[in-house]
Amino acid sequence: MTKIGIIRCQQTEDLCPGTTDFLFAAQGKGSFEPYGPCEIVGFVSCGGCPGKRAVARAKMLADRGAQVIALASCLRKGTPIGFPCPNVEQMEKAIRAKLGDIPLLDHTH
């Protein structure tokens, strides 16, 4: 079973418990489909705007066993607040540079 680490938007923590992220990972749906059912090994926030802590947190997730890092849909799609992260592309680029070959998913569901 593939081990997944998920990074979410800190501003959505009080609005979304991550239920759909957990469900899609467990069922291997959405962006997890290529990996089949997955085990979530960590679920953390980006650390707040502008998301600079996301890089260190992605590294921490990888160090703790995550084979794939997923950016939660709140960052790319703006769910549930209807406001995508204006820094998500820069965050992705920095995470990819830090983690190298570890796959990075740009959404969860």
Side-chain angles (χ1 to χ4, degrees), residues 73-96:
S73 291
C74 51
L75 290 167
R76 173 69 61 191
K77 296 181 177 182
T79 55
I81 61 175
F83 186 79
C85 174
N87 303 300
V88 70
E89 289 178 18
Q90 191 172 16
M91 233 187 300
E92 275 187 64
K93 185 178 177 181
I95 291 169
R96 287 184 197 282

Side-chain angles (χ1 to χ4, degrees), residues 11 13 19 28 33-34 105-106:
Q11 292 186 26
E13 283 182 334
T19 308
E33 193 170 337
L105 306 178
D106 71 352

Side-chain angles (χ1 to χ4, degrees), residues 40-58:
I40 296 175
V41 297
F43 188 72
V44 299
S45 79
C46 63
C49 297
K52 290 181 181 179
R53 290 185 216 128
V55 178
R57 291 177 180 194

Side-chain angles (χ1 to χ4, degrees), residues 12-80:
T12 64
E13 283 182 334
D14 58 343
L15 301 171
C16 174
T19 308
T20 305
D21 299 309
F22 284 88
L23 183 64
F24 272 53
Q27 294 178 350
K29 293 172 62 174
S31 66
F32 305 106
E33 193 170 337
Y35 303 99
C38 298
E39 174 187 352
I40 296 175
V41 297
F43 188 72
V44 299
S45 79
C46 63
C49 297
K52 290 181 181 179
R53 290 185 216 128
V55 178
R57 291 177 180 194
K59 174 79 167 86
M60 176 190 64
L61 290 167
D63 289 346
R64 294 180 184 214
Q67 299 165 294
V68 176
I69 303 296
L71 298 179
S73 291
C74 51
L75 290 167
R76 173 69 61 191
K77 296 181 177 182
T79 55

